[in-house]
């Protein structure tokens, strides 16, 4: 648990060009209370990620994909003045009230328009999902934030040669 605490995400706000994307993660149904299981057995948990181009990543569990929920998470992760890039999901439409907001329309086959894309955050989701399947096989909804923190920590420290020593120092402090 001390090592997991050392992997917690920092509270520093992201700035510059920030990509945002949400995805659904399959979770293990048998770990849920019987009255919270999804009929048919296929449980999914919504998560949202924000990433600075060339910088840090933040991700968190989202109770749903509605505008209000997404905006609350985004506003607590990104500083005003940031340039935000998203896909066409309707939950992002009000972001232009607070940020400079550009979108790509994946539904019509547009993935990159000049400097506008969400490829960086989508690449992280690919790493996360493959990491779950390859390393843990399945995860539970109850502990998904711990897995998100771990993979976020790994991604944010991917270029550091002192990750292990830094993490041990943080866990002892």
């Amino acid at each position: 648990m001390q090592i997991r605490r050392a992997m917690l995400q920092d509270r520093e706000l992201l700035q510059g060009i920030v990509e945002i994307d949400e995805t659904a993660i399959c979770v293990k149904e048998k770990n849920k209370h019987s009255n919270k299981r999804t009929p048919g057995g296929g449980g999914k948990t919504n998560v949202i990620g924000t990433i600075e181009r060339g910088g840090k990543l933040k991700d968190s569990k989202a109770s749903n994909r509605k505008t209000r929920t997404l905006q609350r998470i985004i506003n607590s992760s990104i500083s005003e003045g940031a340039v935000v890039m998203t896909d066409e999901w309707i939950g992002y439409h009000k972001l232009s009230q607070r940020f400079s907001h550009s979108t790509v329309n994946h539904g019509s086959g547009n993935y990159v328009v000049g400097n506008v894309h969400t490829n960086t955050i989508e690449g992280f989701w690919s790493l996360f999902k493959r990491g779950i399947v390859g390393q843990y096989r399945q995860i539970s909804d109850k502990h998904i934030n711990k897995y998100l923190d771990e993979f976020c920590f790994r991604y944010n420290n991917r270029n550091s040669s002192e990750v292990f020593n830094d993490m041990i120092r943080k866990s002892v402090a």
Side-chain angles (χ1 to χ4, degrees):
M1 290 307 289
Q2 286 178 319
I3 292 172
R4 287 239 186 239
R5 273 194 292 278
M7 291 184 189
L8 290 176
Q9 299 177 47
D10 62 18
R11 300 211 181 268
E12 193 174 313
L13 296 177
L14 304 178
Q15 47 195 334
I17 297 175
V18 179
E19 296 177 23
I20 303 169
D21 193 33
E22 83 294 332
T23 191
I25 306 296
C26 292
V27 295
K28 200 171 186 179
E29 287 291 305
K30 78 174 193 174
N31 291 340
K32 289 184 181 180
H33 191 274
S34 61
N35 67 355
K36 297 192 183 203
R37 291 185 186 153
T38 306
K44 294 196 181 260
T45 297
N46 295 306
V47 292
I48 183 169
T50 55
I51 188 168
E52 277 179 4
R53 290 228 181 121
K56 297 258 182 191
L57 161 81
K58 290 185 171 207
D59 50 20
S60 64
K61 180 178 169 180
S63 56
N64 56 54
R65 296 174 60 209
K66 294 180 181 175
T67 302
R68 183 176 289 157
T69 303
L70 296 177
Q71 281 192 324
R72 180 182 44 77
I73 294 169
I74 291 166
N75 290 340
S76 68
S77 300
I78 302 173
S79 65
E80 285 192 52
V83 177
V84 172
M85 314 262 174
T86 67
D87 58 21
E88 74 279 7
W89 177 247
I90 195 167
Y92 300 132
H93 286 190
K94 292 187 178 181
L95 289 178
S96 57
Q97 295 173 353
R98 183 166 183 205
F99 305 103
S100 174
H101 180 215
S102 300
T103 62
V104 289
N105 190 337
H106 292 164
S108 61
N110 294 325
Y111 296 94
V112 178
V113 179
N115 192 32
V116 180
H117 64 79
T118 57
N119 294 344
T120 314
I121 188 64
E122 289 171 4
F124 171 74
W125 291 135
S126 177
L127 289 171
F128 180 74
K129 290 177 179 182
R130 296 323 168 270
I132 294 300
V133 171
Q135 186 174 357
Y136 297 109
R137 299 187 51 98
Q138 296 184 58
I139 60 175
S140 69
D141 184 58
K142 180 180 177 181
H143 297 291
I144 196 164
N145 282 328
K146 293 174 184 168
Y147 295 102
L148 288 168
D149 284 338
E150 176 186 340
F151 278 84
C152 185
F153 176 84
R154 289 166 155 197
Y155 189 88
N156 287 338
N157 293 285
R158 67 193 177 280
N159 295 325
S160 174
S161 60
E162 293 292 318
V163 176
F164 182 76
N165 293 335
D166 291 343
M167 190 175 48
I168 296 300
R169 267 187 240 114
K170 280 176 74 176
S171 67
V172 173

